[in-house]
């Protein structure tokens, strides 16, 4: 039993650890997040290993550069056949639109489906104080809303957001917009270093379309059972 809205974060650095998790979870999970740690250590081999097992990939590299450079990066990544990619909305409208156009062209050239592009609005690790320190003027929640709307206007498919931001973004950006939320902690799991958390059901009710969950699954005594409990909870929403 799996749920296509569940994405398991593979926050590891070696092929062995990655293979261990994917083997253990087997058919229970078909969507994985590959982030900087794994991608910068294994490169596209990480993608190949997952694709050989018919897994879908959320490649979370948070691209942020001038439009031409981000477009080039997106083209290279699309040719590797991933399903979701991230970029920083703070790169601006032109950068996001260039990424969307490049993804469409590269997918058409490869004869594949265009991956979904997701924008990071403001990193949820930023406090109001840290935000002011780097020159932020609007309250953070307003900034998140503004960047989510800008991302949508630029043709981006959705955002990565905390469960606390999900309801606002869902209201502002409409029912089709993707909202991928980390910071999920089922009742049975430890909080770890996540501060603003929600259970899987709470996040979905707030408007999340996908959940990214790492340690509550990968560090569980029985990861498959953890997935099963999470999927059962997701099904109830
Ligand atoms: O182990 P845990 O469930 O906390 O992992 C959550 C995943 O989501 C990690 O890969 C982390 O990098 C990512 N993430 C997050 N908070 C954000 C953005 C991404 O926890 N604001």
């Amino acid at each position: 039993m799996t749920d296509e809205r569940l994405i398991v974060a593979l926050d590891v650095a070696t092929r062995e650890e990655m293979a261990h998790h994917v083997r253990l979870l087997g058919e229970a999970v078909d969507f994985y997040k590959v982030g900087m740690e794994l991608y910068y250590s294994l490169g596209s081999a990480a993608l190949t290993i997952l694709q050989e097992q018919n897994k879908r990939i959320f490649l979370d590299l948070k691209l942020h550069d001038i439009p031409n450079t981000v477009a080039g990066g997106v083209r290279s990544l699309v040719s590797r056949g991933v399903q979701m990619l991230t970029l920083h909305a703070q790169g601006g409208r032109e950068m996001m639109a260039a990424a969307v156009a490049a993804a469409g062209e590269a997918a058409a050239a490869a004869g594949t489906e265009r991956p979904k592009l997701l924008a990071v609005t403001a990193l949820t690790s930023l406090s109001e104080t840290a935000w002011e320190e780097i020159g932020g003027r609007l309250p953070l929640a307003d900034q998140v809303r503004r960047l989510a709307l800008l991302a949508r206007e630029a043709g981006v498919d959705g955002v990565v957001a905390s469960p606390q931001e999900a309801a606002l973004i869902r209201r502002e950006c409409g029912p089709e917009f993707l909202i991928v939320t980390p910071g999920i902690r089922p009742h049975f799991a430890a909080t770890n270093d996540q501060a603003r958390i929600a259970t899987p059901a709470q996040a979905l009710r707030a408007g999340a379309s996908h959940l990214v969950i790492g340690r509550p699954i990968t560090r569980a005594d029985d990861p498959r059972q953890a997935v099963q409990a999470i999927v059962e909870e997701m099904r109830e929403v």
Side-chain angles (χ1 to χ4, degrees):
M1 182 160 90
T2 185
D3 190 306
E4 59 181 23
R5 299 169 295 176
L6 172 65
I7 304 172
V8 173
L10 284 170
D11 291 319
V12 295
T14 67
R15 189 184 290 261
E16 291 69 30
E17 288 169 286
M18 173 188 175
H20 169 77
H21 290 307
V22 175
R23 193 178 333 108
L24 213 58
L25 294 171
E27 298 297 311
V29 173
D30 87 332
F31 209 165
Y32 284 97
K33 178 190 127 162
V34 173
M36 293 183 193
E37 184 179 5
L38 187 56
Y39 194 77
Y40 292 160
S41 108
L42 285 195
S44 59
L47 310 182
T48 306
I49 292 166
L50 289 169
Q51 286 164 339
E52 281 170 356
Q53 303 186 51
N54 295 319
K55 304 301 182 191
R56 291 182 295 149
I57 300 168
F58 168 29
L59 185 56
D60 187 18
L61 298 180
K62 298 189 175 68
L63 308 181
H64 192 176
D65 209 313
I66 60 170
N68 185 55
T69 301
V70 167
V74 167
R75 271 195 290 277
S76 297
L77 294 175
V78 170
S79 73
R80 292 295 295 113
V82 299
Q83 280 67 42
M84 279 186 184
L85 282 176
T86 52
L87 70 173
H88 273 284
Q90 285 178 33
R93 183 197 299 272
E94 199 192 328
M95 186 201 90
M96 290 191 278
V100 172
E105 287 158 19
T112 57
E113 204 173 318
R114 176 171 80 72
K116 302 294 185 194
L117 298 189
L118 301 172
V120 175
T121 56
L123 291 172
T124 51
S125 53
L126 283 177
S127 63
E128 291 282 351
T129 316
W131 175 234
E132 277 171 31
E133 205 169 44
I134 57 170
R137 288 174 201 283
L138 292 176
L140 254 177
D142 294 342
Q143 178 71 10
V144 166
R145 177 176 161 274
R146 188 185 180 118
L147 287 176
L149 285 167
L150 184 66
R152 197 190 57 168
E153 279 171 34
V156 168
D157 302 285
V159 289
V160 181
S162 80
Q164 282 72 21
E165 297 161 348
L168 168 80
I169 294 170
R170 176 61 66 219
R171 247 191 339 268
E172 295 281 337
C173 297
E176 303 300 323
F177 206 55
L178 299 177
I179 303 177
V180 178
T181 57
I184 304 297
R185 287 296 175 270
H187 289 300
F188 62 79
T191 311
N192 307 116
D193 54 0
Q194 294 281 14
R196 295 187 293 140
I197 55 173
T199 66
Q202 284 166 345
L204 291 175
R205 286 201 188 95
S209 59
H210 295 80
L211 310 181
V212 178
I213 308 183
R215 289 161 292 179
I217 292 172
T218 55
R219 299 216 187 141
D221 289 338
D222 184 342
R224 266 191 100 112
Q225 199 195 333
V227 168
Q228 200 176 336
I230 289 167
V231 167
E232 275 168 23
E233 185 176 329
M234 292 173 75
R235 292 266 158 93
E236 285 166 18
V237 181

